[in-house]
Amino acid sequence: MIPYGKQSITPEDIEAVVRVLQGDFLTQGPEVDRFENLIQSVTEAPHAVAVANGTAALHLVVMALGIKPGQKVICPPLSFVASANCVLYAGGCVEFVDIDPKTLCLDPQLVEEKLKSAKPGEYAGVITVDFAGYPSSLRQLKELTSNRGIWLLEDSCHALGAEYFSGRDSTFLKAGSCSHADAAIFSFHPVKHIAAGEGGMVTTAHEKVAKRVKLLRTHGITKDPKELTKNEGPWFYEMQELGFNYRMPDILCALASSQLGRLAKNLERRREIANRYALEFKNLPLTTPETTSEVKHAWHLYVIQTEKRAQLFNHLRANGIAPQVHYIPIHTQPYYVKHFGKVSMPCSEQFYSRALSLPMYHGMNDQAQDQVIRAVKSFYE
């Protein structure tokens, strides 16, 4: 069965993990700093902090950016539930705003409408998701948030290596660089651009945010003499906040660091696969993903839209292919309906009703893609 996503592990990856297993540190060792430095370099972000997974990254960075009990955070409904749950973890309220049907990311015009009528202090922040690897409209969103004292968080789990037009001099900025967002987060789940098994990262433009995330990821405990209120000796530590055990072990950091060396190659292959899908499907009665010259898409997912989603899903399964659906809109989940009531997000709901994710992973060979293309075409014959 050809999966919708899959990790690729090389002998070099295995050697990197074995080296850690044979060393002195399995966790809280030098591989964590090394991986953070590599991500900082790749994203061109001022600060990077490794954590247990993408959900932990969301949780901690919302806490670090600041949110008062009951304050609202704008979120898109088209994402995995973690992109909104993090607000609830921190004591806030979720306010859903619909997507732009062209980019499938948060619609800045709808965000502006929501914020225009907001009371002072009503909103703490905005979370935008780089859906499928397409960078969000960060420049526009920053203009809306910066002069209102509202933070902007980029959920870039789908978009490691993606780029967006800076707005000047024909230059591009990296997703997660925090050139416009106050912070960004990444996931290193096996189906992502680099695989750690589990793992996440916070990047941020603010040293204060990075320091607080580091504190919160380790139970709120510090041993730094400069941070202690007193010091009784080399053994001494203080719990200064109610934190969590959200550390990323050295074993996983070593695997992720090894994989990161192939990021450019992985992105190139994903873009080849996406281009071929678009070419092969251009005359079929389905919609392929849009992109523009102002973004360099990372292609975490390749999501087509079809009026016959269920039938095509079953046809592909019968032909040895395992597609997936991304995502059931968060606002329709029973928990959110129960606690926040029914809301209408027509663009997200319309997209979900037609969306189907085809296999997209950098280890996918031409023969596997041939099989997918044949199966899709045969469905419409």
Side-chain angles (χ1 to χ4, degrees), residues 71-372:
Q71 265 190 314
K72 297 176 182 177
V73 174
I74 289 173
C75 301
L78 186 62
S79 184
F80 185 58
V81 293
S83 299
N85 290 352
C86 60
V87 176
L88 306 185
Y89 298 158
C93 291
V94 174
E95 182 86 6
F96 290 110
V97 169
D98 214 347
I99 60 169
D100 179 334
K102 291 185 177 180
T103 67
L104 305 179
C105 302
L106 191 65
D107 188 330
Q109 291 186 349
L110 297 180
V111 173
E112 184 174 18
E113 291 175 14
K114 186 72 67 173
L115 293 178
K116 274 183 178 179
S117 59
K119 299 174 183 177
E122 182 178 356
Y123 289 91
V126 172
I127 297 175
T128 185
V129 176
D130 299 336
F131 183 80
Y134 193 110
S136 300
S137 302
L138 293 166
R139 287 184 290 119
Q140 295 94 316
L141 290 170
K142 184 62 174 177
E143 289 175 4
L144 298 175
T145 57
S146 60
N147 61 356
R148 290 181 167 91
I150 296 172
W151 47 256
L152 176 61
L153 170 58
E154 179 187 10
D155 181 338
S156 198
C157 284
H158 291 186
L160 182 62
E163 299 179 35
Y164 65 98
F165 181 52
S166 68
R168 61 182 186 278
D169 303 328
S170 300
T171 57
F172 282 76
L173 299 168
K174 306 280 188 179
S177 66
C178 303
S179 300
H180 292 94
D182 293 286
I185 66 102
F186 293 95
S187 166
F188 309 114
H189 183 276
V191 298
K192 298 298 197 302
H193 297 82
I194 66 169
E198 289 287 358
M201 187 73 67
V202 173
T203 59
T204 178
H206 308 296
E207 183 179 9
K208 184 181 291 187
V209 172
K211 288 179 69 175
R212 189 157 185 233
V213 171
K214 285 185 178 182
L215 182 68
L216 290 170
R217 75 177 173 183
T218 313
H219 303 282
I221 288 174
T222 182
K223 297 180 179 179
D224 186 345
K226 292 180 289 186
E227 302 293 335
L228 297 173
T229 61
K230 61 179 180 178
N231 194 343
E232 298 178 2
W235 67 87
F236 195 71
Y237 63 87
E238 287 180 341
M239 176 181 154
Q240 297 181 341
E241 285 204 58
L242 182 61
F244 309 87
N245 183 358
Y246 279 173
R247 297 185 295 261
M248 186 174 179
D250 280 54
I251 301 169
L252 304 187
C253 286
L255 174 57
S257 294
S258 177
Q259 294 241 326
L260 195 58
R262 302 194 299 278
L263 177 61
K265 182 179 178 182
N266 293 350
L267 287 166
E268 181 181 3
R269 178 56 182 157
R270 286 173 180 266
R271 287 165 180 159
E272 288 175 356
I273 293 168
N275 289 338
R276 187 171 175 219
Y277 275 149
L279 181 65
E280 295 284 352
F281 298 153
K282 65 180 180 179
N283 295 320
L284 297 181
L286 55 78
T287 303
T288 54
E290 293 192 29
T291 188
T292 74
S293 60
E294 291 202 350
V295 302
K296 296 180 182 180
H297 204 304
W299 296 112
H300 165 54
L301 301 172
Y302 192 87
V303 188
I304 62 170
Q305 297 178 63
T306 172
E307 298 294 343
K308 299 181 177 180
R309 192 261 304 279
Q311 298 95 316
L312 179 55
F313 183 97
N314 292 331
H315 175 78
L316 293 175
R317 293 283 301 185
N319 283 271
I321 298 159
Q324 187 55 276
V325 174
H326 297 91
Y327 292 93
I328 302 170
I330 305 171
H331 72 284
T332 67
Q333 295 292 346
Y335 179 91
Y336 278 90
V337 173
K338 177 181 177 181
H339 290 276
F340 296 94
K342 290 184 178 180
V343 295
S344 175
M345 297 282 128
C347 292
S348 295
E349 292 163 23
Q350 170 68 4
F351 174 78
Y352 164 67
S353 71
R354 305 175 71 243
L356 187 65
S357 297
L358 299 180
M360 167 58 79
Y361 51 97
H362 44 264
M364 187 180 187
N365 58 32
D366 290 342
Q367 292 74 26
Q369 190 175 19
D370 288 342
Q371 184 176 337
V372 176

